[in-house]
Amino acid sequence: MGLIQNILAVIVVLGLLITFHEFGHFWVARRCGVKVLRFSVGFGTPIWSRVDRHGTEFAIAAIPLGGYVKMLDEREGRVPADQLDHAFNRKGVWQRIAIVAAGPVANFLLALVAYWALFVAGTTTVAPVIGEVAPDSPAARGGLEAGHEITAVQGERVRSWDEINLKLVAAIGEQQALSIATREDAAAASREHRVPVTDWLVRQEPPQPLATLGVTPWRPPMPAVLGQVAQGEPAAAAGLAAGDEILAVDGEPVADWRHFVEIVRASPGETLSLEVRRAGETLGLAVTPRENTLEAGETIGYIGAGVAPVAWPEEYLREIRYGPVAAVGEAVSRTGEMIVLTLDAVRKMLVGLIAPSNLSGPITIAQISGDSARAGLESFVSFLAYLSISLGVLNLLPIPVLDGGHLLYYAMEVVRGRPVSERTQAIGLRIGLALVGSLMLMAIYFDLMRLW
């Protein structure tokens, strides 16, 4: 069921993003007087199509992972003399630039609208209060303290752990110190800390900003009470059920859920004697955690049970909500921030600060799409906005075959006063295809390595 959900989620996400991207090209092309021959969502044989009064065929094709807009162009076939004015290649360079740039711009606009909707609807997040500071960690050396709330990172305000992670990832490569501001409570003034770092997060696979910083988020006490038990896993086979509270393991009292997880993880293949409270009665059960191998190669114990949700105290909850007008500014700011972060990530990958293994391909996108869909509408929309920005930035890279490559040619045409020769463009196309193909193969390879 999870696999089917992942596949459906990635089809919806990529289908929506690519449709918006191609619609950007289509909409501007129409307004520049270019005849659009086909607007296709997907590749391959059309499974549905219709032709409008302008002679444009709108099609949905069998392979949903892609799409394209085909325009009238003398370089791709004979154009009747009475339609030459509607050919793409006959348009001025600034019109061609507008048509090509419209695809990535449409992706950025989609992200902006998604963020605007989230800010208007409002989100509830958990205050980023520090739970623990690891001894001799960068956080400890910088003077960060447990119980204090982080209010700013690198001089920019933060209101959630997600925002903190983004700011910390954006600082990859920092060689001196991170600026982190904290306050003791909501009534206290913030105090800036200089957290000493060297080669911050350089080539981590994947980056783990909070763990590297030495900070553990505060969480409310979490008793070892089961919230769900997966069928077919060791917990269900042992007779455990939702609502059970684990009191002791092999006669040792269990302090909380994290303590119980530590015991299970450290005991693959070993039979554990459990003391369990169920509906006021104490039971004795035995469970044998099965072996589970993590991405890093570590083997741990796993029983297939999750913790019962715990309510957060009201003082730790923050609601982020804006009116329709104020949300526009916030959405523009968030979209711009994510564009800059994505571009900077590309730069850092090229110079070796970010490991190439952090590349994500279709398998990882499918997994994250499915997880986001299951986590709720807010997570799904946030992921959609981020992926739309990534698609827009990727297409603006100056690589022939991508929109950015065409824009590079047109920029050269503006400077030189004449188009780049077709021979040069053909050579660039082959190089671009090789580069993009290599990147896709690398991304798929790293996807498969994560699965193994």
Side-chain angles (χ1 to χ4, degrees):
M1 188 66 178
L3 177 61
I4 295 174
Q5 285 181 321
N6 288 354
I7 293 172
L8 290 176
V10 77
I11 288 174
V12 170
V13 167
L14 291 182
L16 183 60
L17 297 186
I18 291 168
T19 298
F20 261 83
H21 181 94
E22 298 303 332
F23 182 78
H25 293 311
F26 166 80
W27 190 84
V28 175
R30 276 272 182 93
R31 273 136 194 85
C32 289
V34 175
K35 182 174 181 178
V36 179
L37 302 176
R38 174 181 285 182
F39 184 130
S40 177
V41 177
F43 293 112
T45 305
I47 57 177
W48 174 90
S49 69
R50 75 173 183 86
V51 178
D52 71 1
R53 60 187 179 87
H54 298 287
T56 301
E57 178 190 8
F58 293 87
I60 297 177
I63 304 173
L65 304 180
Y68 61 93
V69 169
K70 183 177 181 180
M71 305 176 204
L72 193 67
D73 195 315
E74 290 177 284
R75 297 168 299 181
E76 298 183 9
R78 180 180 172 277
V79 176
D82 62 338
Q83 295 188 31
L84 287 174
D85 287 345
H86 300 291
F88 175 81
N89 64 293
R90 290 290 183 109
K91 296 299 177 181
V93 64
W94 290 108
Q95 287 181 307
R96 282 177 277 139
I97 287 174
I99 293 168
V100 171
V105 170
N107 285 126
F108 298 148
L109 289 175
L110 175 60
L112 192 152
V113 170
Y115 285 132
W116 177 86
L118 287 176
F119 287 135
V120 169
T123 59
T124 299
T125 186
V126 175
V129 175
I130 299 171
E132 296 178 13
V133 175
D136 200 32
S137 64
R141 292 192 290 273
L144 271 62
E145 300 179 46
H148 288 196
E149 179 181 351
I150 298 176
T151 58
V153 175
Q154 298 295 77
E156 298 184 39
R157 182 182 64 158
V158 292
R159 294 163 294 184
S160 67
W161 288 111
D162 285 343
E163 292 183 356
I164 289 171
N165 274 310
L166 281 176
K167 304 297 183 189
L168 292 176
V169 168
I172 287 177
E174 175 63 48
Q175 294 294 328
Q176 296 181 355
L178 299 172
S179 170
I180 298 179
T182 66
R183 63 184 179 189
E184 188 172 354
D185 53 54
S190 293
R191 173 191 166 202
E192 183 183 4
H193 302 264
R194 301 293 292 173
V195 178
V197 295
T198 303
D199 291 332
W200 173 248
L201 300 180
V202 170
R203 300 189 70 80
Q204 277 197 10
E205 306 177 25
Q208 297 178 315
L210 291 180
T212 305
L213 188 66
V215 164
T216 302
W218 183 87
R219 293 182 176 86
M222 192 171 291
V225 177
L226 305 186
Q228 58 274 341
V229 175
Q231 294 302 312
E233 296 290 354
L240 289 167
D244 287 353
E245 181 179 3
I246 312 300
L247 302 177
V249 177
D250 291 339
E252 177 188 352
V254 172
D256 55 19
W257 175 256
R258 187 166 65 173
H259 183 203
F260 177 60
V261 169
E262 289 173 354
I263 295 172
V264 170
R265 286 170 64 97
S267 310
E270 300 178 17
T271 300
L272 303 175
S273 298
L274 308 181
E275 185 179 332
V276 178
R277 179 183 292 137
R278 178 184 298 170
E281 297 184 3
T282 301
L283 308 175
L285 299 173
V287 64
T288 304
R290 67 172 175 83
E291 292 186 358
N292 187 33
T293 304
L294 302 180
E295 291 180 10
E298 179 187 4
T299 299
I300 63 170
Y302 177 82
I303 63 172
V307 66
V310 177
W312 285 77
E314 286 293 327
E315 61 270 22
Y316 284 88
L317 300 179
R318 302 283 187 272
E319 185 178 33
I320 302 174
R321 186 190 303 272
Y322 298 92
V325 176
V328 173
E330 291 293 327
V332 170
S333 176
R334 176 64 62 84
T335 302
E337 178 185 8
M338 296 305 295
I339 290 173
V340 171
L341 178 63
T342 306
L343 282 170
D344 194 47
V346 172
R347 179 188 67 81
K348 288 176 178 177
M349 190 170 290
L350 290 174
V351 300
L353 295 178
I354 296 179
S357 56
N358 287 299
L359 277 173
S360 295
I363 298 173
T364 299
I365 291 173
Q367 290 178 326
I368 297 176
S369 297
D371 291 344
S372 299
R374 286 187 286 272
L377 184 61
E378 180 186 330
S379 295
F380 186 72
V381 173
S382 293
F383 176 68
L384 179 73
Y386 172 70
L387 196 59
S388 188
I389 288 170
S390 299
L391 180 62
V393 169
L394 174 65
N395 270 280
L396 284 176
L397 295 180
I399 300 174
V401 83
L402 299 178
D403 292 336
H406 294 297
L407 292 174
L408 177 63
Y409 289 146
Y410 299 150
M412 293 171 65
E413 181 178 341
V414 170
V415 173
R416 299 168 70 237
R418 63 182 187 277
V420 176
S421 69
E422 291 190 15
R423 180 174 178 274
T424 301
Q425 292 189 46
I427 294 172
L429 178 63
R430 288 194 287 272
I431 294 173
L433 285 171
L435 284 172
V436 172
S438 299
L439 285 173
M440 282 300 300
L441 288 175
M442 284 178 60
I444 292 172
Y445 168 77
F446 290 129
D447 277 356
L448 294 174
M449 292 301 293
R450 291 184 191 104
L451 289 178
W452 293 337

